Amino acid sequence: MLRTQVAIIGAGPSGLLLSQLLHLHGIDSILVERHSREYVAARIRAGVLEQGTVDLLLEANLGERMLKERLVHDGFSLAFSGRTERVDLKGLTQKAVSVYGQTEVTKDLIEARVAAGAKICFTASEVAIEGIDDHHPTVRFTQEGRTQEITCDFVAGCDGYHGICRQSVPKDAIRTFERLYPFGWLGILADVPPVAHELIYSNHARGFALCSMRSSTRSRYYVQCGLDEKLEAWTDSRFWDELRSRLPDEIADAVVTGPSIEKSIAPLRSFVVEPLKFGQLFLVGDAAHIVPPTGAKGLNLAAADVRVLYRAIVEYYRTGSTESLNLYSEKSLRRTWKAVRFSWWFTSISHKFSDDPFANRLQLAELDYLSGSTAALTSLAENYVGLPFE
Ligand SMILES: Cc1cc2nc3c(=O)[nH]c(=O)nc-3n(C[C@H](O)[C@H](O)[C@H](O)COP(=O)(O)OP(=O)(O)OC[C@H]3O[C@@H](n4cnc5c(N)ncnc54)[C@H](O)[C@@H]3O)c2cc1C
């Protein structure tokens, strides 16, 4: 039988970051992760960090490599109707965003946790939580054929959308809000220089496209695709042709192509559960909410949850007060819903939902209005760089 203060289910960015911040405040945790260390460290996902996320990583003593290798972006571009309009994030909000891949964040976190001697139980199966309404819940799992049991004070459910923590809550205690989008994103990663030094979001009659990057030599490109698309049908050359067809000519001509090193299709969804606290169990990050990646908010929201929860746990162990723990759900959900709204809105003006020409003209009018209005651009920019913390 193992004993810890906080049992953390899932060693993605939420779980690892929570564990690292608690450790820096003298609070013990054990991480239980379904996959292997190599699998977790290699997953290709988000890439844009808000300043608040960068600050939290610095607070977790993880900044050194990030500060050296990140790309700081003061703006991004909107392409539509053959035009390209820059959104000057820095000029509008005095803030910028950082491009530093989630893969790198995860690697830094795993290294820091392992160096500090953290207990991380990788390749755990049959993970189950019991007694969330008791003061000392139990987490049970199987590792290398052996059943293990952890007793703890709190369980942090950081196990993503498909995890077991949310599913452990009685159905009548949880409310789910969901919106599925009628398309997905086909993304490729390639070791070619990005077409521009900032991101380009393109609204096109053939569908949305995004030019993004992970570094000055590694590009990440996406095209909107049907939910029934098969990855095998997308050769690299078909992908590059489709991407270029959805960009203004001068940008399309500048795209450097090359073999993909990763290719995947992700469906788009908005998803939120309420509340986020059930007795001693707290849902964090993707276990609690999912947003379409258009607004680059998924990883940032996960970090924002961790920020609120770790401070509440520290306060509890310092003072015995449960006040901040009891406010976790309300505080995190207020921020979450604003990011859900922004991600939904940005998706709705940039993607092709149907062949309806009226809807398309409305999107183009909105993009035209946006690019000519400082007020509208400021609203876009302040959401994109991350709303201030309360
Ligand atoms: C394909 C894809 C592309 C994305 N692209 C972007 C993007 O471009 N921009 C953006 O902002 N966001 C993006 N996101 C979202 C972003 O990656 C997530 O918001 C972020 O990973 C959330 O971190 P998390 O730690 O909460 O969850 P996760 O990263 O999902 O981590 C959960 C962890 O829990 C583990 N786990 C699951 N079940 C169990 C179990 N039963 N027991 C133990 N462990 C378990 C998983 O293996 C995983 O390691 C993307 C997500 C996906 C899936």
Side-chain angles (χ1 to χ4, degrees):
M1 164 92 75
L2 301 162
R3 159 87 198 139
T4 190
Q5 289 168 298
V6 185
I8 301 175
I9 317 297
S14 306
L16 289 162
L17 183 57
L18 179 64
S19 164
Q20 171 74 358
L21 286 160
L22 292 176
H23 162 72
L24 294 176
H25 288 80
I27 297 165
D28 185 58
S29 65
I30 297 178
L31 283 148
V32 179
E33 164 61 47
R34 183 170 56 165
H35 288 294
S36 68
R37 175 176 174 173
E38 296 67 35
Y39 181 94
V40 171
R43 265 188 309 225
I44 311 285
R45 286 187 174 177
V48 177
L49 306 183
E50 297 172 358
Q51 187 56 43
T53 304
V54 169
D55 291 342
L56 194 65
L57 291 169
L58 294 176
E59 202 172 316
N61 283 349
L62 287 160
E64 208 178 315
R65 191 165 75 97
M66 173 182 63
L67 291 182
K68 247 189 271 157
E69 295 182 14
R70 70 172 171 168
L71 306 173
V72 176
H73 283 192
D74 291 343
F76 65 86
S77 291
L78 296 170
F80 59 99
S81 307
R83 293 156 56 186
T84 309
E85 301 288 346
R86 183 166 184 268
V87 180
D88 179 7
L89 297 173
K90 190 71 180 225
L92 292 160
T93 66
Q94 289 75 55
K95 288 186 190 151
V97 292
S98 295
V99 170
Y100 187 67
Q102 180 170 332
T103 317
E104 307 312 316
V105 173
T106 307
K107 272 188 210 151
D108 293 347
L109 277 163
I110 292 180
E111 265 170 39
R113 291 287 46 231
V114 169
K119 183 147 181 59
I120 312 179
C121 306
F122 286 107
T123 58
S125 59
E126 297 162 67
V127 182
I129 315 168
E130 276 165 31
I132 52 171
D133 289 326
D134 303 339
H135 278 295
H136 298 292
T138 308
V139 174
R140 229 175 253 122
F141 59 98
T142 304
Q143 197 186 24
E144 290 164 6
R146 275 182 51 215
T147 301
Q148 307 246 36
E149 200 171 296
I150 306 172
T151 55
C152 55
D153 301 332
F154 301 107
V155 179
C158 302
D159 52 351
Y161 180 69
H162 299 286
I164 52 100
C165 290
R166 195 178 64 248
Q167 289 160 25
S168 308
V169 175
K171 293 240 173 324
D172 57 359
I174 195 164
R175 190 155 176 216
T176 301
F177 302 82
E178 189 163 29
R179 172 72 43 101
L180 294 170
Y181 298 82
F183 41 72
W185 276 18
L186 166 64
I188 72 164
L189 193 67
D191 278 330
V192 291
V195 66
H197 71 280
E198 292 177 346
L199 274 68
I200 302 168
Y201 291 82
S202 179
N203 172 308
H204 191 272
R206 293 181 67 84
F208 170 80
L210 172 61
C211 305
S212 166
M213 71 291 289
R214 291 293 178 265
S215 71
S216 55
T217 54
R218 182 166 283 188
S219 299
R220 181 80 164 146
Y221 290 106
Y222 298 95
V223 292
Q224 173 186 344
C225 67
L227 285 172
D228 53 356
E229 293 278 358
K230 296 273 173 286
L231 203 53
E232 311 79 75
W234 284 91
T235 58
D236 287 357
S237 64
R238 181 176 169 210
F239 179 88
W240 291 117
D241 287 347
E242 188 60 40
L243 174 74
R244 283 187 294 215
S245 75
R246 298 182 187 192
L247 299 171
D249 289 346
E250 70 285 3
I251 298 170
D253 292 345
V255 170
V256 180
T257 64
S260 63
I261 51 176
E262 194 264 355
K263 201 184 282 165
S264 54
I265 293 178
L268 265 61
R269 93 173 62 229
S270 301
F271 173 86
V272 185
V273 292
E274 294 182 1
L276 306 181
K277 177 182 185 299
F278 307 88
Q280 305 297 89
L281 168 68
F282 297 83
L283 297 181
V284 181
D286 276 18
H289 39 71
I290 298 281
V291 285
T294 324
K297 289 282 163 266
L299 177 58
N300 292 300
L301 269 185
D305 284 354
V306 170
R307 187 178 186 273
V308 177
L309 183 58
Y310 107 82
R311 289 182 180 182
I313 295 175
V314 169
E315 183 182 303
Y316 169 77
Y317 283 113
R318 281 219 181 113
T319 66
S321 165
T322 53
E323 195 185 332
S324 295
L325 286 170
N326 291 333
L327 286 173
Y328 166 72
S329 197
E330 186 189 322
K331 262 189 159 178
S332 285
L333 283 168
R334 279 182 74 178
R335 187 177 184 82
T336 296
W337 272 112
K338 287 179 205 146
V340 169
R341 184 210 67 82
F342 174 67
S343 305
W344 161 82
W345 169 79
F346 202 14
T347 304
S348 74
I349 63 162
S350 54
H351 288 64
K352 180 175 177 173
F353 282 74
S354 69
D355 287 321
D356 175 10
F358 183 80
N360 173 250
R361 286 292 189 278
L362 286 183
Q363 283 186 330
L364 298 180
E366 184 149 10
L367 287 161
D368 190 27
Y369 163 67
L370 252 182
S371 45
S373 160
T374 305
L377 278 175
T378 305
S379 167
L380 164 60
E382 69 186 14
N383 280 280
Y384 194 86
V385 298
L387 294 172
F389 287 98
E390 286 168 17

